Amino acid sequence: MKIDKLMECERNTFYKLINFRLPSQFMIIGIAVVLLSIVMMFIRAFAMDGDTEGLKLVLQKFLLVGMLIMSLSKDKLEDEMTIALRAQSYAIAFVVGVIYALVMPYVEFGVSNVINSGGESFKNLGDFQVLLFMLMVQLMFYHNLKRYR
Amino acid sequence: MENTIKVERAILNLTQDDLAKRIGVSRQTINSIEANRYVPSTVLALKLSDVFNKPVNDFFKLSNDD
């Protein structure tokens, strides 16, 4: 009996975690964070002097957090179809993200060596590039799936 | 899966929006169900059954490829 209760409690916690979504107002906060980060990135790149590498990393993290907030926020009217479409978009983003992380380093290496002989050495993608790509694909697919439903 | 929700809705003189509000989904979801692009859950099917006052089998039918 005690084990049953424990399992039930674990199951409930697990489902709460799976179904976690931010309220719909967070979408605006997410968009604001993303836009602010992008504007700051441009300012850092073109109007700031000196060593701003630390700021670049902070802005990259803010951009990812903003997109994550956008991805996790609910729609104004959330129903079972939007939940299904969201799940579908996460699955697509995961698969496309893995393919991107596997293929893109070879593409970059190949293109770099075709354009100028002895170009860049082979290097894997950074976490920022992969996560940004996955979040972009998820948001794009979710909104497109919703539009064409 | 095929359905006759559009007909049932017309009988009750309900718009997609009215029906959507009654069962707590978006109008686009009703549109997708009517166009057979989305198969609703049992909960939603039972809510529709409640609105139409008919068994689920009356307005949802299995098609040959199901």
Side-chain angles (χ1 to χ4, degrees):
Chain A
M1 191 66 187
K2 203 177 173 187
I3 291 173
D4 283 351
K5 272 190 178 172
L6 202 69
M7 279 176 71
E8 185 65 30
C9 181
E10 266 186 29
R11 189 180 294 122
N12 289 340
T13 314
F14 186 61
Y15 279 115
K16 252 185 214 171
L17 196 72
I18 288 174
N19 296 326
F20 173 75
R21 292 279 172 270
L22 294 167
S24 61
Q25 296 89 332
F26 274 81
M27 179 57 106
I28 296 162
I29 296 171
I31 292 170
V33 172
V34 167
L35 290 178
L36 206 67
S37 306
I38 292 170
V39 169
M40 283 299 292
M41 279 175 169
F42 274 104
I43 293 172
R44 187 205 72 85
F46 299 111
M48 276 185 170
D49 296 324
D51 184 25
T52 53
E53 203 56 33
L55 181 64
K56 180 186 167 187
L57 292 174
V58 171
L59 290 173
Q60 284 181 348
K61 299 282 182 274
F62 266 97
L63 183 62
L64 290 178
V65 169
M67 290 183 80
L68 186 65
I69 291 171
M70 283 171 71
S71 172
L72 285 176
S73 58
K74 279 183 190 169
D75 282 349
K76 274 181 189 154
L77 185 54
E78 189 95 346
D79 60 27
E80 60 171 57
M81 193 179 182
T82 56
I83 292 168
L85 293 179
R86 184 177 279 117
Q88 219 174 330
S89 69
Y90 278 120
I92 293 167
F94 174 76
V95 173
V96 174
V98 171
I99 293 169
Y100 177 77
L102 289 174
V103 172
M104 207 53 197
Y106 295 101
V107 174
E108 276 183 9
F109 178 70
V111 170
S112 158
N113 278 279
V114 165
I115 290 173
N116 46 356
S117 56
E120 283 181 39
S121 58
F122 181 83
K123 58 178 189 294
N124 279 317
L125 299 177
D127 55 342
F128 171 72
Q129 205 174 337
V130 176
L131 290 173
L132 182 74
F133 182 77
M134 284 171 96
L135 284 165
M136 272 168 53
V137 169
Q138 191 273 321
L139 288 168
M140 196 181 71
F141 266 90
Y142 177 57
H143 290 284
N144 270 330
L145 285 170
K146 246 179 27 172
R147 195 193 302 164
Y148 298 123
R149 68 180 153 172
Chain B
M1 184 89 93
E2 289 162 2
N3 68 75
T4 54
I5 289 176
K6 202 173 181 176
V7 178
E8 301 296 338
R9 195 165 54 74
I11 293 168
L12 293 177
N13 204 18
L14 291 171
T15 62
Q16 284 188 342
D17 202 36
D18 294 333
L19 182 59
K21 277 177 187 155
R22 280 216 198 176
I23 61 170
V25 296
S26 65
R27 189 192 57 75
Q28 289 90 337
T29 299
I30 297 294
N31 187 39
S32 299
I33 296 170
E34 283 185 4
N36 291 318
R37 284 195 302 269
Y38 177 67
V39 179
S41 68
T42 316
V43 176
L44 211 55
L46 290 172
K47 281 183 183 177
L48 286 166
S49 158
D50 206 36
V51 172
F52 299 145
N53 207 16
K54 282 182 179 176
V56 174
N57 277 2
D58 281 13
F59 51 91
F60 279 115
K61 294 265 185 299
L62 287 173
S63 55
N64 291 332
D65 54 337
D66 283 323

